[in-house]
Amino acid sequence: MQVYRWTLTMALSIVHRATGIALYAGTLLLVWWLVAAASGHAAYATVQAFTGSIIGRLIVFGYTWALMHHMLSGLRHLVWDLGYGFKANEREALTWGALIGGIVLTVLIWIIAYAIGGVR
Amino acid sequence: MSAADTPKRSMRTPLGRVRNLGAAHSGTSDFWRQRITAVAMTLLMLPVIVVVMMTLGSNQAGAKVILGSLPIAVIMLLFIVASVWHMKIGMQVVIEDYIHNEKLKLISVMLNNFFSIAVALASTYAIVKLSSGV
Ligand code: HEM
């Protein structure tokens, strides 16, 4: 058994799993959106009313963060799968990178979305 | 990569190494597929975000034109295939980790398959319909 530091890296592996499960449920949003677009005006307007509402925005914002965080955190796993990044400092750096990068990307995406005036 | 050639210094726990070998006895191939789909989704992430942004300001008619264009439809189809496959494998791993009652496990794995296939087919059908101008 290695000497595990019960630090960020450990906590974030749980977050990786939690975001994976959240994204699993969040896939319903993607299907709903696509099916509504294929169905017609009324169905699409319903989706837009939902995603435009406060609660809808919060959910989509949460989904955005879960996706960005899980992606970066997953890339960390891929780096480890390739056999790199196991030194304590590297591990911490990757983990901090995923944590901060996920938040930065999420905020960036939403700033762009608001900037192009699409979010109504 | 099999459990045996996982480097000694791996952070993966023993459970982590064997858990893909669970209920379906699918061995390491699911592990590998989960990595392929992860890479595929990462590559597709920027295009998919751009597509979603493009549709933001528009109503259904506008969204239909955008999503129905060939390159965009292909991008969305690829993303759907990758994500559904990835999430099906991922959820199966989670199920195998937490559910130890055999019957319950079987039912959960089955529901996971149903859900994933339903998501895949509904999305695919929607995109094909959007593309065919019906
Ligand atoms: C719609 C998008 C996604 C969904 C629904 C999803 C779902 C999941 C689920 C349910 C798991 C299992 C969690 C666990 O075993 O702890 C998982 C694991 C994983 N995901 Fe994702 N994921 C998505 C996107 C991504 C992306 C873009 C990447 C890119 C790198 C990624 C990389 C990984 C990796 C490497 C694992 C395995 C982690 C491990 O071995 O513990 N995922 N995903």
Side-chain angles (χ1 to χ4, degrees):
Chain A
M1 168 108 184
Q2 306 196 357
V3 183
Y4 287 159
R5 295 215 296 147
W6 237 112
T7 53
L8 205 62
T9 303
M10 306 291 284
L12 272 209
S13 86
I14 296 166
V15 175
H16 184 79
R17 173 158 286 195
T19 49
I21 294 170
L23 290 171
Y24 185 93
T27 314
L28 284 173
L29 276 176
L30 185 66
V31 193
W32 186 28
W33 175 58
L34 291 172
V35 170
S39 301
H41 294 283
Y44 201 72
T46 308
V47 174
Q48 284 187 316
F50 175 75
T51 54
S53 71
I54 298 288
I55 188 84
R57 275 177 208 210
L58 277 175
I59 291 176
V60 178
F61 186 81
Y63 178 83
T64 312
W65 173 75
L67 190 58
M68 289 303 108
H69 177 82
H70 184 91
M71 179 180 77
L72 294 180
S73 176
L75 289 175
R76 209 175 41 126
H77 274 275
L78 299 182
V79 170
W80 286 331
D81 287 341
L82 292 174
Y84 300 107
F86 284 102
K87 288 201 208 103
N89 61 334
E90 295 171 342
R91 214 161 54 214
E92 296 278 284
L94 283 172
T95 302
W96 275 108
L99 194 64
I100 296 169
I103 295 168
V104 169
L105 286 180
T106 305
V107 171
L108 203 65
I109 287 169
W110 278 71
I111 289 175
I112 295 171
Y114 271 98
I116 62 175
V119 181
R120 294 179 297 176
Chain B
M1 196 201 285
S2 76
D5 42 32
T6 304
K8 268 217 184 73
R9 56 192 171 157
S10 172
M11 281 281 290
R12 292 176 72 79
T13 59
L15 177 63
R17 284 192 213 104
V18 297
R19 68 186 185 190
N20 284 296
L21 308 168
H25 301 291
S26 41
T28 54
S29 52
D30 267 358
F31 179 91
W32 174 232
R33 276 185 213 109
Q34 198 178 25
R35 268 66 189 166
I36 299 178
T37 53
V39 172
M41 271 188 288
T42 304
L43 295 174
L44 289 162
M45 197 57 77
L46 186 62
V48 167
I49 291 172
V50 170
V51 170
V52 173
M53 296 256 188
M54 282 167 72
T55 68
L56 280 182
S58 47
N59 58 11
Q60 189 261 345
K64 186 174 171 162
V65 172
I66 295 164
L67 293 171
S69 95
L70 186 70
I72 289 180
V74 171
I75 288 169
M76 295 308 284
L77 283 174
L78 287 173
F79 186 77
I80 285 158
V81 171
S83 61
V84 168
W85 205 349
H86 176 94
M87 79 181 193
K88 189 237 131 196
I89 297 167
M91 189 53 80
Q92 180 150 337
V93 172
V94 173
I95 290 169
E96 287 163 8
D97 278 358
Y98 297 132
I99 301 182
H100 301 299
N101 175 301
E102 274 310 314
K103 274 196 199 111
L104 208 58
K105 187 192 282 183
L106 220 72
I107 291 168
S108 308
V109 168
M110 211 177 265
L111 289 178
N112 179 35
N113 277 277
F114 290 165
F115 178 81
S116 302
I117 290 169
V119 165
L121 286 187
S123 308
T124 305
Y125 177 77
I127 289 174
V128 171
K129 183 162 184 274
L130 284 161
S131 301
S132 58
V134 190

